[in-house]
Amino acid sequence: MKHRATREFLIGGVIGPITRPEVVIAGLYRGDDLVIVGRTVPLSPAQSAELGAVLTPAKPGHPWPDEITSQRWGGKDSKKPLTKVEPLVAAVAADAATQAGQVRHSMRFIRVRSDLAPDDLDQLDS
């Protein structure tokens, strides 16, 4: 049985175009490093439109790769282009199970938390 709780993560990238994202790639800071911690299930058309309206392209120096593999989350080892964005806070429904700071199962995007800044979130343990 999976237990999901609402948590806040940073959106650091998306799969798909920035104006119509398909999947959110979530992260948290560990010191000054933005670390990938999980991904969402595919977004609904309404979620994609909501998110696409507020995402902005990442500034130079974004630490994430240009491609990401699905193998990290138990999928086939296919690479997909990663659209890097300026980090913003989002509420997601996430399983409580984690491993080495990584969320073990896909999350569900709930909404953007425009009332929170990236610095407001707890960091990963060093």
Side-chain angles (χ1 to χ4, degrees), residues 91-102:
V92 299
D95 191 311
T98 60
Q99 182 175 6
Q102 303 284 312

Side-chain angles (χ1 to χ4, degrees), residues 14-114:
V14 296
I15 304 295
I18 197 167
T19 56
R20 293 302 256 179
E22 299 165 13
V23 171
V24 168
I25 305 301
L28 288 172
Y29 281 104
R30 177 180 288 134
D32 292 333
D33 296 327
L34 182 57
V35 178
I36 296 173
V37 296
R39 61 166 281 169
T40 66
V41 296
L43 302 173
S44 72
Q47 290 171 323
S48 178
E50 173 195 348
L51 196 51
V54 297
L55 292 176
T56 56
K59 294 178 182 137
H62 191 292
W64 289 1
D66 293 330
E67 292 183 324
I68 194 164
T69 66
S70 58
Q71 184 178 24
R72 167 176 263 174
W73 297 284
K76 295 179 182 172
D77 189 18
S78 63
K79 290 188 176 187
K80 295 196 177 230
L82 177 64
T83 305
K84 295 178 263 189
V85 300
E86 280 301 300
L88 70 141
V89 180
V92 299
D95 191 311
T98 60
Q99 182 175 6
Q102 303 284 312
V103 177
R104 289 183 52 196
H105 304 285
S106 295
M107 301 176 276
R108 287 176 174 73
F109 173 79
I110 298 173
R111 66 184 174 98
V112 171
R113 291 289 311 267
S114 56

